[in-house]
C-alpha cells in the first residue's frame, strides 16, 4: 500500500520540510552600512561587512532559533510516520491534520521572526523572502492533497462495505 499517491505526497512534504532546514528563509541588506540580516531555520544573524564588502568585520547579533528547525523535522517525521499508518486511514487523516497544524504554526513563527527582524536595519525598506520560505505553502498543499486522497480511499472502502 506504499505505492498510493498519498504516500508520494506525504514523502514529498517530508522532503520539503527537511530542505527548509538547510536553506535561508529571509534576508535584508543595507548597502550603505554594509549590513546583512539573514534568517534560517537555525538562527538569525546580523553581520556587518568591512569596507570591501567581502570580509566580515563583525557579527553584530546572532540569535539561536533552532526550535524552528526542530518543528520542521517533527513535521517531516509526522509525514513519514503517517505513510506507514496506511492500515488505519482515520488515524492517517488525524496525523495529516496534526501535520498541517505543525507546518502552519512553524510558518507563522518564521513570519513573526521576519517581522521583528525588519526593524533591525533600514526600517523603511522591506526584506526579501527567500526560496525556503515559499516551501512552507508547498508542504501545506502536499499535505492537504495527501489528506484528500486518504479521505477518498476511506469513502471508497465505506461504500464498498455498504454494498456487501
Amino acid at each position: 500500500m506504499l505505492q498510493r499517491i498519498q504516500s508520494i505526497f506525504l514523502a514529498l512534504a517530508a522532503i520539503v520540510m527537511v530542505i527548509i532546514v538547510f536553506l535561508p528563509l529571509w534576508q535584508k541588506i543595507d548597502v550603505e552600512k554594509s549590513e546583512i540580516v539573514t534568517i534560517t531555520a537555525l538562527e538569525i544573524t546580523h553581520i556587518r561587512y568591512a569596507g570591501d564588502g567581502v570580509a566580515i568585520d563583525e557579527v553584530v547579533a546572532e540569535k539561536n532559533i533552532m526550535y524552528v528547525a526542530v518543528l520542521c523535522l517533527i513535521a517531516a517525521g509526522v509525514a513519514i510516520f503517517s505513510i506507514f499508518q496506511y492500515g488505519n486511514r482515520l488515524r492517517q487523516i488525524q496525523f495529516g491534520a496534526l501535520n498541517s497544524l505543525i507546518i502552519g504554526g512553524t510558518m507563522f513563527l518564521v513570519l513573526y521572526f521576519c517581522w521583528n527582524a525588519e526593524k533591525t536595519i533600514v526600517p523603511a525598506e522591506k526584506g526579501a523572502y527567500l526560496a525556503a520560505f515559499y516551501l512552507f505553502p508547498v508542504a501545506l498543499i502536499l499535505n492537504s492533497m495527501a489528506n484528500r486522497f486518504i479521505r477518498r480511499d476511506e469513502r471508497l472502502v465505506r461504500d464498498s462495505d455498504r454494498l456487501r
Side-chain angles (χ1 to χ4, degrees):
M1 294 306 287
L2 294 177
Q3 71 273 17
R4 300 178 308 162
I5 188 74
Q6 54 266 37
S7 298
I8 294 170
F9 284 137
L10 288 169
L12 288 174
I15 290 168
V16 165
M17 291 307 292
V18 170
I19 289 173
I20 289 173
V21 173
F22 298 106
L23 295 177
L25 296 160
W26 181 86
Q27 190 173 54
K28 188 172 184 179
I29 300 173
D30 182 6
V31 179
E32 294 175 8
K33 295 181 183 177
S34 297
E35 293 181 341
I36 296 178
V37 176
T38 305
I39 297 177
T40 65
L42 300 171
E43 65 184 358
I44 301 172
T45 54
H46 181 178
I47 298 173
R48 184 174 294 132
Y49 285 93
D52 60 1
V54 177
I56 295 174
D57 187 26
E58 68 176 304
V59 176
V60 178
E62 194 170 46
K63 182 179 179 186
N64 185 4
I65 57 169
M66 193 170 291
Y67 44 89
V68 172
V70 169
L71 285 171
C72 288
L73 294 176
I74 287 172
V78 169
I80 295 296
F81 183 72
S82 179
I83 290 172
F84 295 104
Q85 296 298 311
Y86 57 83
N88 189 344
R89 284 174 297 281
L90 294 177
R91 182 176 295 145
Q92 205 174 20
I93 291 170
Q94 291 171 344
F95 280 122
L98 173 67
N99 206 15
S100 291
L101 286 174
I102 294 170
I103 295 169
T106 308
M107 185 173 78
F108 284 113
L109 186 63
V110 168
L111 274 173
Y112 171 76
F113 288 130
C114 293
W115 288 328
N116 282 339
E118 283 282 347
K119 304 170 192 166
T120 56
I121 57 174
V122 194
E125 294 182 23
K126 296 287 183 190
Y129 294 103
L130 300 177
F133 181 80
Y134 296 110
L135 291 178
F136 282 112
V138 170
L140 275 173
I141 291 169
L142 289 169
N143 194 52
S144 298
M145 292 295 293
N147 262 359
R148 179 177 177 214
F149 283 104
I150 293 167
R151 273 191 232 106
R152 189 183 75 184
D153 279 358
E154 181 63 21
R155 200 174 329 121
L156 183 67
V157 168
R158 283 186 188 171
D159 289 345
S160 66
D161 284 345
R162 193 178 39 178
L163 291 174
R164 288 183 197 176

